[in-house]
């Protein structure tokens, strides 16, 4: 019984050292983090809208990463900065587990996801737990949390 108590105390102390020694990064993104379905894209210049409700375009946001996927062709990974109701997307990479990720250099690859620049700045117009509206210099994107 005495040996078991010593082991328990020793394991407890070791566990405490491991927990204190680890630095965990946490996100301040709030409702922004999650899996978002792109439902509609509005052109700011022409006031026209395109329905994406049946398209399978998703934005997955977690901490400092944005994953764009269409579930049919490509997956693109962006570095993400969320600050003061602004999103900054930078350094897009085409995700390819087999051959290695490659830097995206052609903006045409990004347009189907509502992104029109290799480095894009977007304003968070509206953000609730299940809906989000983002605005770039040329587009307004409407999302529903999936």
């Amino acid at each position: 019984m005495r040996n078991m108590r010593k082991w328990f105390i020793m394991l407890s102390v070791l566990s405490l050292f491991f927990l204190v020694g680890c630095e965990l990064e946490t996100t301040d993104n709030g409702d922004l983090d999650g899996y978002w379905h792109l439902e509609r894209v509005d052109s700011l210049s022409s006031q026209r809208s395109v329905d994406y409700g049946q398209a399978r375009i998703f934005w997955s946001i977690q901490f400092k990463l944005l994953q764009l996927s269409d579930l049919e062709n490509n997956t693109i990974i962006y570095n993400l900065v969320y600050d003061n109701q602004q999103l900054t997307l930078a350094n897009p990479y085409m995700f390819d587990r087999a051959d290695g990720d490659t830097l995206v250099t052609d903006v045409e690859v990004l347009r189907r996801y509502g992104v029109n620049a290799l480095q894009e700045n977007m304003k968070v117009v509206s953000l609730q737990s299940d809906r989000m509206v983002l605005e770039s210099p040329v587009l307004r994107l409407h999302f529903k949390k999936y």
Side-chain angles (χ1 to χ4, degrees):
M1 186 74 164
R2 196 177 232 187
N3 281 339
M4 198 182 318
R5 185 173 172 195
K6 285 181 183 179
W7 278 106
F8 178 75
I9 291 171
M10 190 165 62
L11 286 174
S12 297
V13 170
L14 284 174
S15 297
L16 182 62
F17 282 122
F18 282 119
L19 289 174
V20 171
C22 295
E23 182 178 325
L24 299 175
E25 289 192 56
T26 59
T27 179
D28 292 329
N29 291 350
D31 287 333
L32 183 69
D33 283 344
Y35 196 59
W36 296 94
H37 179 232
L38 180 60
E39 294 197 320
R40 189 176 87 225
V41 176
D42 304 332
S43 169
L44 297 178
S45 62
S46 71
Q47 303 300 314
R48 293 185 53 214
S49 294
V50 176
D51 181 10
Y52 272 69
Q54 298 304 310
R56 296 170 53 163
I57 305 291
F58 293 92
W59 286 36
S60 180
I61 300 172
Q62 185 174 4
F63 195 37
K64 295 179 181 181
L65 292 176
L66 165 64
Q67 176 180 309
L68 307 175
S69 58
D70 58 20
L71 301 181
E72 295 169 8
N73 294 314
N74 301 316
T75 298
I76 296 167
I77 306 292
Y78 259 106
N79 290 327
L80 173 76
V81 175
Y82 178 46
D83 186 41
N84 198 26
Q85 296 300 94
Q86 295 286 327
L87 294 180
T88 302
L89 316 179
N91 303 316
Y93 278 85
M94 185 71 66
F95 178 74
D96 187 344
R97 187 169 288 198
D99 294 327
D101 303 342
T102 56
L103 185 66
V104 175
T105 57
D106 182 6
V107 73
E108 291 303 317
V109 174
L110 306 171
R111 293 194 196 280
R112 70 181 306 140
Y113 306 100
V115 179
N116 288 299
L118 296 174
Q119 179 165 326
E120 183 87 84
N121 294 308
M122 295 188 170
K123 177 183 174 187
V124 178
V125 175
S126 172
L127 177 60
Q128 292 132 15
S129 61
D130 65 338
R131 297 267 178 202
M132 173 172 66
V133 178
L134 302 178
E135 192 171 281
S136 74
V138 294
L139 299 175
R140 184 174 298 121
L141 309 174
H142 299 262
F143 295 88
K144 181 179 179 184
K145 196 171 257 184
Y146 201 74

